Amino acid sequence: MRKAWAVLVVATAIFAAGPGWAADSATLTVQALVVPTCMFEAPKTATLDFGSLTPGGGNVTQSAIARFWCTAGVSTLNFAVGNGLNYSGTSRGMKHATFADVIPYSIDSVTPDGNPNAGPASPRTVTIQGTVQAAAYAAVTAGAYSDTVLVSINP
């Protein structure tokens, strides 16, 4: 009986301690990387409208405003302005809707507001300024002129 009692005590101790033998712990590292990014807000378009140009008028300077945001902490903004669909030699050009006439224009500046980058909840604005010289439209065919230019932003 004594032997049975000893076996029962040992078996109970082994059974009770069994789950304790399998217990262990490990450290879980949780991490993420917030990517520095800048994005234009939808609809991702802006219009630089020089309005109605009357031959004999003066130089016309206008501005367009686009909205964008950058990840908080991004300190440098790089804007790039493409040449457009009607680039020729050294100038961008707005092409007549049906004729071959082109009105040269310039993009003079791309200036972001002075606000800090704080993510998509705090959008910012960039002003894009351009000019058409009076001589550029003095002898062109009447009608609608346009061009499409890609503006990009990089942090």
Side-chain angles (χ1 to χ4, degrees), residues 104-151:
Y105 68 94
S106 62
I107 301 291
D108 306 323
S109 63
V110 179
T111 309
D113 63 27
N115 296 326
N117 292 319
S122 300
R124 299 182 57 194
T125 59
V126 59
T127 302
I128 303 162
Q129 182 176 299
T131 301
V132 173
Q133 299 294 320
Y137 64 90
V140 295
T141 305
Y145 289 77
S146 67
D147 192 18
T148 301
V149 178
L150 182 66
V151 178

mmCIF file of all heavy atoms in Angstrom, residues 104-151:
data_model
loop_
_atom_site.group_PDB
_atom_site.id
_atom_site.type_symbol
_atom_site.label_atom_id
_atom_site.label_comp_id
_atom_site.label_asym_id
_atom_site.label_seq_id
_atom_site.Cartn_x
_atom_site.Cartn_y
_atom_site.Cartn_z
ATOM 1 N N PRO A 104 3.537 80.261 -77.166
ATOM 2 C CA PRO A 104 4.514 79.921 -76.127
ATOM 3 C C PRO A 104 4.125 80.545 -74.782
ATOM 4 O O PRO A 104 3.541 81.623 -74.722
ATOM 5 C CB PRO A 104 5.812 80.543 -76.635
ATOM 6 C CG PRO A 104 5.590 80.813 -78.084
ATOM 7 C CD PRO A 104 4.117 81.058 -78.232
ATOM 8 N N TYR A 105 4.466 79.844 -73.714
ATOM 9 C CA TYR A 105 4.230 80.345 -72.355
ATOM 10 C C TYR A 105 5.338 79.815 -71.460
ATOM 11 O O TYR A 105 6.070 78.894 -71.817
ATOM 12 C CB TYR A 105 2.851 79.917 -71.830
ATOM 13 C CG TYR A 105 2.738 78.433 -71.577
ATOM 14 C CD1 TYR A 105 2.986 77.911 -70.318
ATOM 15 C CD2 TYR A 105 2.413 77.556 -72.605
ATOM 16 C CE1 TYR A 105 2.900 76.551 -70.085
ATOM 17 C CE2 TYR A 105 2.320 76.198 -72.381
ATOM 18 C CZ TYR A 105 2.569 75.699 -71.114
ATOM 19 O OH TYR A 105 2.500 74.357 -70.891
ATOM 20 N N SER A 106 5.455 80.403 -70.287
ATOM 21 C CA SER A 106 6.464 79.945 -69.333
ATOM 22 C C SER A 106 5.811 79.603 -68.003
ATOM 23 O O SER A 106 4.765 80.150 -67.652
ATOM 24 C CB SER A 106 7.526 81.031 -69.112
ATOM 25 O OG SER A 106 6.934 82.187 -68.559
ATOM 26 N N ILE A 107 6.420 78.675 -67.299
ATOM 27 C CA ILE A 107 6.070 78.421 -65.895
ATOM 28 C C ILE A 107 7.147 79.146 -65.103
ATOM 29 O O ILE A 107 8.322 78.796 -65.154
ATOM 30 C CB ILE A 107 6.075 76.915 -65.559
ATOM 31 C CG1 ILE A 107 5.085 76.146 -66.427
ATOM 32 C CG2 ILE A 107 5.803 76.700 -64.067
ATOM 33 C CD1 ILE A 107 3.631 76.430 -66.161
ATOM 34 N N ASP A 108 6.744 80.205 -64.425
ATOM 35 C CA ASP A 108 7.705 81.073 -63.745
ATOM 36 C C ASP A 108 8.096 80.600 -62.352
ATOM 37 O O ASP A 108 9.233 80.785 -61.922
ATOM 38 C CB ASP A 108 7.136 82.490 -63.649
ATOM 39 C CG ASP A 108 6.717 83.019 -65.007
ATOM 40 O OD1 ASP A 108 7.405 82.741 -66.009
ATOM 41 O OD2 ASP A 108 5.676 83.717 -65.079
ATOM 42 N N SER A 109 7.141 80.024 -61.638
ATOM 43 C CA SER A 109 7.453 79.583 -60.277
ATOM 44 C C SER A 109 6.481 78.510 -59.820
ATOM 45 O O SER A 109 5.349 78.441 -60.278
ATOM 46 C CB SER A 109 7.418 80.762 -59.303
ATOM 47 O OG SER A 109 6.120 81.316 -59.235
ATOM 48 N N VAL A 110 6.973 77.685 -58.920
ATOM 49 C CA VAL A 110 6.171 76.673 -58.241
ATOM 50 C C VAL A 110 6.477 76.863 -56.760
ATOM 51 O O VAL A 110 7.571 76.539 -56.299
ATOM 52 C CB VAL A 110 6.550 75.253 -58.717
ATOM 53 C CG1 VAL A 110 5.727 74.211 -57.980
ATOM 54 C CG2 VAL A 110 6.368 75.126 -60.225
ATOM 55 N N THR A 111 5.517 77.433 -56.027
ATOM 56 C CA THR A 111 5.776 77.869 -54.658
ATOM 57 C C THR A 111 4.803 77.229 -53.670
ATOM 58 O O THR A 111 3.615 77.548 -53.676
ATOM 59 C CB THR A 111 5.650 79.405 -54.556
ATOM 60 O OG1 THR A 111 6.438 79.999 -55.581
ATOM 61 C CG2 THR A 111 6.097 79.893 -53.201
ATOM 62 N N PRO A 112 5.292 76.322 -52.808
ATOM 63 C CA PRO A 112 4.410 75.765 -51.789
ATOM 64 C C PRO A 112 4.168 76.776 -50.678
ATOM 65 O O PRO A 112 4.988 77.669 -50.445
ATOM 66 C CB PRO A 112 5.183 74.552 -51.271
ATOM 67 C CG PRO A 112 6.608 74.846 -51.572
ATOM 68 C CD PRO A 112 6.623 75.734 -52.788
ATOM 69 N N ASP A 113 3.028 76.635 -50.001
ATOM 70 C CA ASP A 113 2.764 77.507 -48.849
ATOM 71 C C ASP A 113 3.810 77.225 -47.771
ATOM 72 O O ASP A 113 4.598 76.293 -47.877
ATOM 73 C CB ASP A 113 1.340 77.316 -48.328
ATOM 74 C CG ASP A 113 1.080 75.903 -47.812
ATOM 75 O OD1 ASP A 113 2.020 75.220 -47.364
ATOM 76 O OD2 ASP A 113 -0.088 75.465 -47.853
ATOM 77 N N GLY A 114 3.828 78.012 -46.741
ATOM 78 C CA GLY A 114 4.839 77.869 -45.693
ATOM 79 C C GLY A 114 4.432 76.968 -44.550
ATOM 80 O O GLY A 114 5.100 76.943 -43.528
ATOM 81 N N ASN A 115 3.360 76.209 -44.708
ATOM 82 C CA ASN A 115 2.888 75.347 -43.627
ATOM 83 C C ASN A 115 3.772 74.113 -43.461
ATOM 84 O O ASN A 115 4.414 73.683 -44.410
ATOM 85 C CB ASN A 115 1.445 74.909 -43.895
ATOM 86 C CG ASN A 115 0.500 76.090 -43.903
ATOM 87 O OD1 ASN A 115 0.687 77.048 -43.172
ATOM 88 N ND2 ASN A 115 -0.504 76.030 -44.751
ATOM 89 N N PRO A 116 3.770 73.537 -42.268
ATOM 90 C CA PRO A 116 4.559 72.317 -42.064
ATOM 91 C C PRO A 116 3.860 71.103 -42.686
ATOM 92 O O PRO A 116 2.645 71.100 -42.861
ATOM 93 C CB PRO A 116 4.612 72.185 -40.538
ATOM 94 C CG PRO A 116 3.371 72.865 -40.066
ATOM 95 C CD PRO A 116 3.128 73.994 -41.035
ATOM 96 N N ASN A 117 4.630 70.089 -43.001
ATOM 97 C CA ASN A 117 4.060 68.840 -43.487
ATOM 98 C C ASN A 117 3.503 68.082 -42.292
ATOM 99 O O ASN A 117 4.225 67.821 -41.332
ATOM 100 C CB ASN A 117 5.125 68.008 -44.192
ATOM 101 C CG ASN A 117 5.566 68.664 -45.480
ATOM 102 O OD1 ASN A 117 4.755 69.180 -46.220
ATOM 103 N ND2 ASN A 117 6.858 68.664 -45.750
ATOM 104 N N ALA A 118 2.223 67.749 -42.352
ATOM 105 C CA ALA A 118 1.575 67.090 -41.211
ATOM 106 C C ALA A 118 0.663 65.950 -41.639
ATOM 107 O O ALA A 118 -0.239 65.577 -40.913
ATOM 108 C CB ALA A 118 0.806 68.129 -40.397
ATOM 109 N N GLY A 119 0.864 65.403 -42.826
ATOM 110 C CA GLY A 119 0.074 64.258 -43.257
ATOM 111 C C GLY A 119 -1.203 64.646 -43.971
ATOM 112 O O GLY A 119 -1.502 65.824 -44.153
ATOM 113 N N PRO A 120 -1.990 63.643 -44.381
ATOM 114 C CA PRO A 120 -3.178 63.889 -45.198
ATOM 115 C C PRO A 120 -4.284 64.670 -44.497
ATOM 116 O O PRO A 120 -5.132 65.254 -45.153
ATOM 117 C CB PRO A 120 -3.659 62.493 -45.588
ATOM 118 C CG PRO A 120 -2.963 61.550 -44.684
ATOM 119 C CD PRO A 120 -1.731 62.225 -44.197
ATOM 120 N N ALA A 121 -4.272 64.714 -43.184
ATOM 121 C CA ALA A 121 -5.301 65.470 -42.470
ATOM 122 C C ALA A 121 -5.044 66.978 -42.529
ATOM 123 O O ALA A 121 -5.922 67.768 -42.197
ATOM 124 C CB ALA A 121 -5.380 65.020 -41.018
ATOM 125 N N SER A 122 -3.842 67.365 -42.958
ATOM 126 C CA SER A 122 -3.479 68.782 -43.045
ATOM 127 C C SER A 122 -2.930 69.099 -44.435
ATOM 128 O O SER A 122 -1.721 69.281 -44.608
ATOM 129 C CB SER A 122 -2.427 69.124 -41.984
ATOM 130 O OG SER A 122 -2.920 68.870 -40.697
ATOM 131 N N PRO A 123 -3.819 69.156 -45.436
ATOM 132 C CA PRO A 123 -3.325 69.424 -46.794
ATOM 133 C C PRO A 123 -2.725 70.814 -46.917
ATOM 134 O O PRO A 123 -3.063 71.721 -46.160
ATOM 135 C CB PRO A 123 -4.574 69.279 -47.664
ATOM 136 C CG PRO A 123 -5.720 69.454 -46.741
ATOM 137 C CD PRO A 123 -5.264 69.016 -45.392
ATOM 138 N N ARG A 124 -1.829 70.929 -47.882
ATOM 139 C CA ARG A 124 -1.152 72.192 -48.165
ATOM 140 C C ARG A 124 -1.492 72.614 -49.579
ATOM 141 O O ARG A 124 -2.133 71.879 -50.325
ATOM 142 C CB ARG A 124 0.360 71.993 -48.028
ATOM 143 C CG ARG A 124 0.771 71.573 -46.624
ATOM 144 C CD ARG A 124 2.252 71.429 -46.507
ATOM 145 N NE ARG A 124 2.910 72.666 -46.869
ATOM 146 C CZ ARG A 124 4.207 72.779 -47.119
ATOM 147 N NH1 ARG A 124 4.984 71.713 -47.045
ATOM 148 N NH2 ARG A 124 4.745 73.934 -47.468
ATOM 149 N N THR A 125 -1.025 73.795 -49.958
ATOM 150 C CA THR A 125 -1.233 74.257 -51.329
ATOM 151 C C THR A 125 0.098 74.629 -51.965
ATOM 152 O O THR A 125 1.050 74.998 -51.286
ATOM 153 C CB THR A 125 -2.159 75.497 -51.384
ATOM 154 O OG1 THR A 125 -1.579 76.552 -50.615
ATOM 155 C CG2 THR A 125 -3.544 75.170 -50.856
ATOM 156 N N VAL A 126 0.134 74.510 -53.282
ATOM 157 C CA VAL A 126 1.275 74.962 -54.065
ATOM 158 C C VAL A 126 0.721 75.871 -55.154
ATOM 159 O O VAL A 126 -0.287 75.559 -55.782
ATOM 160 C CB VAL A 126 2.090 73.793 -54.662
ATOM 161 C CG1 VAL A 126 1.253 72.915 -55.568
ATOM 162 C CG2 VAL A 126 3.315 74.312 -55.390
ATOM 163 N N THR A 127 1.359 77.016 -55.337
ATOM 164 C CA THR A 127 0.952 77.968 -56.373
ATOM 165 C C THR A 127 1.895 77.838 -57.554
ATOM 166 O O THR A 127 3.118 77.903 -57.398
ATOM 167 C CB THR A 127 0.987 79.411 -55.824
ATOM 168 O OG1 THR A 127 0.121 79.481 -54.681
ATOM 169 C CG2 THR A 127 0.520 80.405 -56.875
ATOM 170 N N ILE A 128 1.296 77.638 -58.721
ATOM 171 C CA ILE A 128 2.060 77.497 -59.967
ATOM 172 C C ILE A 128 1.757 78.737 -60.808
ATOM 173 O O ILE A 128 0.608 78.978 -61.161
ATOM 174 C CB ILE A 128 1.668 76.223 -60.719
ATOM 175 C CG1 ILE A 128 1.871 75.018 -59.790
ATOM 176 C CG2 ILE A 128 2.465 76.086 -62.005
ATOM 177 C CD1 ILE A 128 1.143 73.774 -60.222
ATOM 178 N N GLN A 129 2.773 79.531 -61.083
ATOM 179 C CA GLN A 129 2.589 80.787 -61.806
ATOM 180 C C GLN A 129 3.202 80.698 -63.197
ATOM 181 O O GLN A 129 4.284 80.157 -63.370
ATOM 182 C CB GLN A 129 3.233 81.932 -61.041
ATOM 183 C CG GLN A 129 3.037 83.287 -61.707
ATOM 184 C CD GLN A 129 3.612 84.400 -60.868
ATOM 185 O OE1 GLN A 129 3.194 84.608 -59.746
ATOM 186 N NE2 GLN A 129 4.586 85.097 -61.420
ATOM 187 N N GLY A 130 2.485 81.209 -64.173
ATOM 188 C CA GLY A 130 2.968 81.205 -65.548
ATOM 189 C C GLY A 130 2.691 82.515 -66.250
ATOM 190 O O GLY A 130 1.867 83.317 -65.807
ATOM 191 N N THR A 131 3.376 82.734 -67.381
ATOM 192 C CA THR A 131 3.244 83.986 -68.141
ATOM 193 C C THR A 131 3.192 83.700 -69.636
ATOM 194 O O THR A 131 3.896 82.830 -70.141
ATOM 195 C CB THR A 131 4.436 84.925 -67.853
ATOM 196 O OG1 THR A 131 4.477 85.205 -66.456
ATOM 197 C CG2 THR A 131 4.336 86.226 -68.632
ATOM 198 N N VAL A 132 2.339 84.475 -70.319
ATOM 199 C CA VAL A 132 2.318 84.521 -71.783
ATOM 200 C C VAL A 132 2.748 85.930 -72.163
ATOM 201 O O VAL A 132 2.174 86.920 -71.688
ATOM 202 C CB VAL A 132 0.906 84.242 -72.350
ATOM 203 C CG1 VAL A 132 0.866 84.463 -73.852
ATOM 204 C CG2 VAL A 132 0.449 82.836 -72.017
ATOM 205 N N GLN A 133 3.784 86.024 -72.981
ATOM 206 C CA GLN A 133 4.264 87.329 -73.445
ATOM 207 C C GLN A 133 3.306 87.869 -74.524
ATOM 208 O O GLN A 133 2.774 87.106 -75.330
ATOM 209 C CB GLN A 133 5.675 87.203 -74.025
ATOM 210 C CG GLN A 133 6.712 86.704 -73.031
ATOM 211 C CD GLN A 133 6.948 87.683 -71.898
ATOM 212 O OE1 GLN A 133 6.991 88.900 -72.103
ATOM 213 N NE2 GLN A 133 7.084 87.161 -70.697
ATOM 214 N N ALA A 134 3.118 89.168 -74.546
ATOM 215 C CA ALA A 134 2.209 89.799 -75.514
ATOM 216 C C ALA A 134 2.572 89.447 -76.952
ATOM 217 O O ALA A 134 1.694 89.179 -77.781
ATOM 218 C CB ALA A 134 2.212 91.310 -75.328
ATOM 219 N N ALA A 135 3.841 89.406 -77.253
ATOM 220 C CA ALA A 135 4.279 89.101 -78.622
ATOM 221 C C ALA A 135 3.931 87.666 -79.028
ATOM 222 O O ALA A 135 3.794 87.371 -80.209
ATOM 223 C CB ALA A 135 5.787 89.321 -78.741
ATOM 224 N N ALA A 136 3.747 86.778 -78.044
ATOM 225 C CA ALA A 136 3.476 85.372 -78.332
ATOM 226 C C ALA A 136 2.084 85.150 -78.919
ATOM 227 O O ALA A 136 1.856 84.186 -79.637
ATOM 228 C CB ALA A 136 3.642 84.542 -77.066
ATOM 229 N N TYR A 137 1.144 86.037 -78.624
ATOM 230 C CA TYR A 137 -0.222 85.840 -79.123
ATOM 231 C C TYR A 137 -0.684 86.968 -80.051
ATOM 232 O O TYR A 137 -1.845 87.044 -80.423
ATOM 233 C CB TYR A 137 -1.203 85.645 -77.958
ATOM 234 C CG TYR A 137 -1.365 86.820 -77.034
ATOM 235 C CD1 TYR A 137 -2.327 87.785 -77.274
ATOM 236 C CD2 TYR A 137 -0.571 86.942 -75.902
ATOM 237 C CE1 TYR A 137 -2.488 88.858 -76.409
ATOM 238 C CE2 TYR A 137 -0.724 88.002 -75.037
ATOM 239 C CZ TYR A 137 -1.688 88.956 -75.291
ATOM 240 O OH TYR A 137 -1.850 90.017 -74.441
ATOM 241 N N ALA A 138 0.226 87.802 -80.476
ATOM 242 C CA ALA A 138 -0.130 88.961 -81.308
ATOM 243 C C ALA A 138 -0.618 88.579 -82.701
ATOM 244 O O ALA A 138 -1.449 89.276 -83.269
ATOM 245 C CB ALA A 138 1.068 89.911 -81.416
ATOM 246 N N ALA A 139 -0.154 87.465 -83.252
ATOM 247 C CA ALA A 139 -0.496 87.139 -84.639
ATOM 248 C C ALA A 139 -0.926 85.683 -84.812
ATOM 249 O O ALA A 139 -0.612 85.049 -85.809
ATOM 250 C CB ALA A 139 0.696 87.444 -85.541
ATOM 251 N N VAL A 140 -1.659 85.134 -83.823
ATOM 252 C CA VAL A 140 -2.110 83.747 -83.934
ATOM 253 C C VAL A 140 -3.601 83.704 -84.295
ATOM 254 O O VAL A 140 -4.324 84.686 -84.145
ATOM 255 C CB VAL A 140 -1.861 82.967 -82.620
ATOM 256 C CG1 VAL A 140 -0.373 82.848 -82.341
ATOM 257 C CG2 VAL A 140 -2.593 83.592 -81.449
ATOM 258 N N THR A 141 -4.040 82.560 -84.771
ATOM 259 C CA THR A 141 -5.428 82.347 -85.148
ATOM 260 C C THR A 141 -6.320 82.353 -83.911
ATOM 261 O O THR A 141 -5.964 81.776 -82.873
ATOM 262 C CB THR A 141 -5.567 80.994 -85.878
ATOM 263 O OG1 THR A 141 -4.665 80.980 -86.985
ATOM 264 C CG2 THR A 141 -6.976 80.768 -86.374
ATOM 265 N N ALA A 142 -7.485 82.985 -84.025
ATOM 266 C CA ALA A 142 -8.452 83.002 -82.914
ATOM 267 C C ALA A 142 -8.908 81.582 -82.605
ATOM 268 O O ALA A 142 -9.002 80.731 -83.495
ATOM 269 C CB ALA A 142 -9.648 83.873 -83.290
ATOM 270 N N GLY A 143 -9.194 81.318 -81.362
ATOM 271 C CA GLY A 143 -9.691 80.008 -80.955
ATOM 272 C C GLY A 143 -9.114 79.572 -79.621
ATOM 273 O O GLY A 143 -8.401 80.322 -78.952
ATOM 274 N N ALA A 144 -9.457 78.354 -79.249
ATOM 275 C CA ALA A 144 -9.029 77.790 -77.965
ATOM 276 C C ALA A 144 -7.647 77.153 -78.098
ATOM 277 O O ALA A 144 -7.377 76.432 -79.058
ATOM 278 C CB ALA A 144 -10.037 76.756 -77.499
ATOM 279 N N TYR A 145 -6.795 77.418 -77.120
ATOM 280 C CA TYR A 145 -5.441 76.875 -77.066
ATOM 281 C C TYR A 145 -5.274 76.129 -75.741
ATOM 282 O O TYR A 145 -5.821 76.549 -74.714
ATOM 283 C CB TYR A 145 -4.395 77.997 -77.131
ATOM 284 C CG TYR A 145 -4.291 78.648 -78.484
ATOM 285 C CD1 TYR A 145 -5.241 79.565 -78.922
ATOM 286 C CD2 TYR A 145 -3.218 78.341 -79.322
ATOM 287 C CE1 TYR A 145 -5.131 80.164 -80.171
ATOM 288 C CE2 TYR A 145 -3.100 78.936 -80.575
ATOM 289 C CZ TYR A 145 -4.066 79.848 -80.991
ATOM 290 O OH TYR A 145 -3.957 80.428 -82.224
ATOM 291 N N SER A 146 -4.511 75.059 -75.775
ATOM 292 C CA SER A 146 -4.273 74.331 -74.517
ATOM 293 C C SER A 146 -2.991 73.512 -74.599
ATOM 294 O O SER A 146 -2.445 73.268 -75.661
ATOM 295 C CB SER A 146 -5.459 73.410 -74.196
ATOM 296 O OG SER A 146 -5.552 72.378 -75.146
ATOM 297 N N ASP A 147 -2.576 73.076 -73.426
ATOM 298 C CA ASP A 147 -1.431 72.189 -73.273
ATOM 299 C C ASP A 147 -1.668 71.373 -72.012
ATOM 300 O O ASP A 147 -2.491 71.747 -71.152
ATOM 301 C CB ASP A 147 -0.134 73.011 -73.138
ATOM 302 C CG ASP A 147 1.129 72.162 -73.263
ATOM 303 O OD1 ASP A 147 1.052 71.036 -73.780
ATOM 304 O OD2 ASP A 147 2.201 72.639 -72.828
ATOM 305 N N THR A 148 -0.983 70.279 -71.872
ATOM 306 C CA THR A 148 -1.052 69.454 -70.669
ATOM 307 C C THR A 148 0.361 69.262 -70.170
ATOM 308 O O THR A 148 1.233 68.815 -70.911
ATOM 309 C CB THR A 148 -1.707 68.087 -70.978
ATOM 310 O OG1 THR A 148 -3.016 68.308 -71.493
ATOM 311 C CG2 THR A 148 -1.789 67.234 -69.724
ATOM 312 N N VAL A 149 0.571 69.610 -68.919
ATOM 313 C CA VAL A 149 1.892 69.534 -68.295
ATOM 314 C C VAL A 149 1.795 68.662 -67.036
ATOM 315 O O VAL A 149 0.862 68.825 -66.243
ATOM 316 C CB VAL A 149 2.391 70.945 -67.910
ATOM 317 C CG1 VAL A 149 3.734 70.893 -67.224
ATOM 318 C CG2 VAL A 149 2.458 71.843 -69.137
ATOM 319 N N LEU A 150 2.760 67.806 -66.857
ATOM 320 C CA LEU A 150 2.811 66.967 -65.667
ATOM 321 C C LEU A 150 3.627 67.678 -64.594
ATOM 322 O O LEU A 150 4.759 68.070 -64.823
ATOM 323 C CB LEU A 150 3.452 65.609 -65.993
ATOM 324 C CG LEU A 150 3.534 64.623 -64.849
ATOM 325 C CD1 LEU A 150 2.138 64.187 -64.422
ATOM 326 C CD2 LEU A 150 4.349 63.420 -65.276
ATOM 327 N N VAL A 151 3.025 67.823 -63.410
ATOM 328 C CA VAL A 151 3.723 68.392 -62.252
ATOM 329 C C VAL A 151 3.862 67.265 -61.250
ATOM 330 O O VAL A 151 2.884 66.582 -60.923
ATOM 331 C CB VAL A 151 2.929 69.562 -61.624
ATOM 332 C CG1 VAL A 151 3.644 70.105 -60.396
ATOM 333 C CG2 VAL A 151 2.710 70.665 -62.659
#
